[in-house]
């Protein structure tokens, strides 16, 4: 199939992440089933955001691997891809119970203990080898320092729909580090299971105000040329493919030689992994390819809602209005049938990436 042969060329469109993929920015709200999950008064932690990812049975031990970045209020430098302090990032790498549905994973309640010796990756352990869990401190001058977690425990409970974490840890320099967090946590599916969508309802695209259209030529097949299109709201960086506004990423197959723009027409979503070839007037479905660490195909992203969705069905009507102006009429669905719909009309920033 044409996709895997050249997906490395497409890696520039991966959403940003820090070293070892454990700190970047993205998003189902606090989960876990508590037998005594009665309504109690809890106060969510202020000034801290979370980004969390589920990798499934990563180690083949029957447990579900997931990690969480707890990030204090800091600015993300678009150029360096790192944060400007003062502030911190605490990354905790858990082995928990396997999710019934990888798109809606949760962190099971209980006590998680650092595995000092065997690195067994059994459920209710915390991975600490090779810097899997760490604490990074950022100062106001842009300098940072990191210490690995060397031992300790993390208590996890769920109260009134909020995760409550109490960490009693030891850092590699021998110092004690205690940390508390109360809040909602949504885990993004980065396993090879599920539909790669945590949408729970239809979404109407609103506030789309800018677009990038990148011509990539015949990167996948001689049958068609590829355009990557990013349509987003105002608070979104088209170059890094990340921001606080909602965004839509499309992979559009056009007639060979269409370097001057996307021809008008109706483009239908096809399965990027199963299609024998990528025909003209098609759109590649959304794929997350762990081997290359990136998002490919067609996706919906909402950082504010902590949701993302691989789009797998539907159509996009594209009208080339001339003078780099286009109209996109979107009618697509994720694997669960949730709809992403809306219209964008406006100028597109056109670039040649071939």
């Amino acid at each position: 199939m044409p996709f895997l042969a050249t997906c490395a060329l497409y890696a520039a469109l991966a959403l940003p992440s820090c070293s070892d993929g454990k700190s970047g920015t993205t998003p189902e709200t606090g989960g876990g089933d508590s037998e005594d999950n009665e309504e109690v008064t809890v106060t969510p932690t202020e000034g801290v955001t979370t980004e969390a990812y589920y990798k499934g049975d990563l180690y083949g031990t029957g447990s579900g691997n997931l990690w969480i970045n707890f990030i204090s209020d800091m600015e993300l430098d678009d150029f360096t891809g790192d944060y400007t302090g003062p502030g911190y990032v605490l990354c905790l790498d858990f082995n928990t119970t396997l999710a019934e549905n990888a798109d809606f994973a949760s962190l099971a309640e209980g006590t998680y203990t650092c595995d000092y010796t065997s690195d067994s990756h059994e459920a209710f352990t915390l991975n600490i080898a090779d810097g899997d869990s760490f604490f990074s401190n950022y100062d106001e001058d842009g300098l940072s320092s990191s210490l690995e977690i060397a031992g300790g425990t993390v208590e996890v409970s769920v109260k009134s729909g909020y995760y409550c974490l109490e960490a009693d840890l030891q850092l590699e320099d021998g110092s004690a580090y205690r940390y508390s967090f109360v809040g909602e946590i949504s885990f993004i599916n980065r396993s090879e299971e599920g539909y790669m969508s945590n949408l729970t309802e239809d979404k109407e695209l609103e506030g789309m105000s800018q677009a990038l259209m990148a011509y990539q030529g015949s990167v996948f097949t001689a049958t068609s040329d590829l355009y990557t299109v990013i349509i987003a709201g105002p608070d979104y960086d088209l170059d890094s493919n990340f921001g606080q506004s909602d965004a839509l990423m499309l992979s559009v197959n056009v007639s060979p030689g269409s370097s001057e723009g996307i021809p008008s027409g109706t483009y239908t979503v096809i399965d990027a992994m199963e299609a024998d070839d990528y025909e003209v007037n098609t759109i590649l479905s959304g794929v997350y390819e762990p081997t290359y660490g990136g998002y490919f195909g067609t996706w919906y992203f909402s950082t504010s809602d902590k949701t993302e969705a691989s789009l797998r069905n539907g159509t996009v009507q594209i009208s080339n209005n001339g003078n780099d102006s286009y109209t996109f009429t979107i009618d697509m669905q994720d694997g669960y049938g949730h709809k992403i719909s809306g219209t964008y009309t406006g100028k597109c920033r056109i670039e040649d990436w071939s």
Side-chain angles (χ1 to χ4, degrees), residues 212-232:
L212 168 67
M213 183 183 296
Y215 174 70
Q216 294 184 267
S218 55
V219 291
F220 292 148
T221 174
T223 303
S224 62
D225 285 353
L226 179 74
Y227 270 92
T228 294
V229 180
I230 303 173
I231 304 170

Side-chain angles (χ1 to χ4, degrees), residues 10 41 44 61 65 86 112 117 137 160 167 177 217 232 237 251 261 330 342:
Y10 211 13
T41 300
T61 58
N65 175 251
Y112 291 79
T117 55
N137 185 65
S160 300
Y177 180 72
D237 188 330
S251 292
I330 294 104

Side-chain angles (χ1 to χ4, degrees), residues 229-280:
V229 180
I230 303 173
I231 304 170
D235 297 322
Y236 201 87
D237 188 330
L238 297 176
D239 295 308
S240 66
N241 196 16
F242 177 76
Q244 296 305 308
S245 294
D246 293 357
L248 183 70
M249 184 172 79
L250 308 172
S251 292
V252 183
N253 297 310
V254 301
S255 301
S258 300
S259 59
E260 298 301 316
I262 297 178
S264 298
T266 299
Y267 292 78
T268 302
V269 179
I270 61 171
D271 190 323
M273 299 299 290
E274 298 296 332
D276 292 329
D277 203 354
Y278 296 161
E279 303 290 342
V280 173

Side-chain angles (χ1 to χ4, degrees), residues 125-205:
T125 60
L126 193 71
N127 295 321
I128 61 173
D130 302 318
D132 289 331
S133 297
F134 59 87
F135 172 77
S136 293
N137 185 65
Y138 295 79
D139 66 24
E140 60 275 6
D141 296 323
L143 300 177
S144 64
S145 59
S146 293
L147 291 171
E148 296 181 10
I149 304 301
T153 60
V154 180
E155 297 280 349
V156 178
S157 60
V158 178
K159 299 178 182 179
S160 300
Y162 292 103
Y163 280 106
C164 302
L165 281 76
E166 293 288 340
D168 188 357
L169 302 169
Q170 181 181 358
L171 302 180
E172 63 176 313
D173 64 356
S175 61
Y177 180 72
R178 292 179 178 172
Y179 186 77
S180 298
F181 174 82
V182 177
E184 297 177 339
I185 304 176
S186 174
F187 296 93
I188 292 297
N189 180 9
R190 285 191 172 170
S191 71
E192 297 180 358
E193 308 167 23
Y195 290 122
M196 303 297 288
S197 171
N198 62 352
L199 287 179
T200 58
E201 60 184 1
D202 296 345
K203 288 288 185 179
E204 184 75 21
L205 295 175

Side-chain angles (χ1 to χ4, degrees), residues 20 22-23 67-70 89-94 126-127 131-136 149 169:
D20 74 9
K22 292 185 178 176
S23 187
W67 72 85
I68 309 170
N69 293 311
F70 301 89
V89 174
L90 172 66
C91 177
L92 298 178
D93 189 325
F94 294 90
L126 193 71
N127 295 321
D132 289 331
S133 297
F134 59 87
F135 172 77
S136 293
I149 304 301
L169 302 169

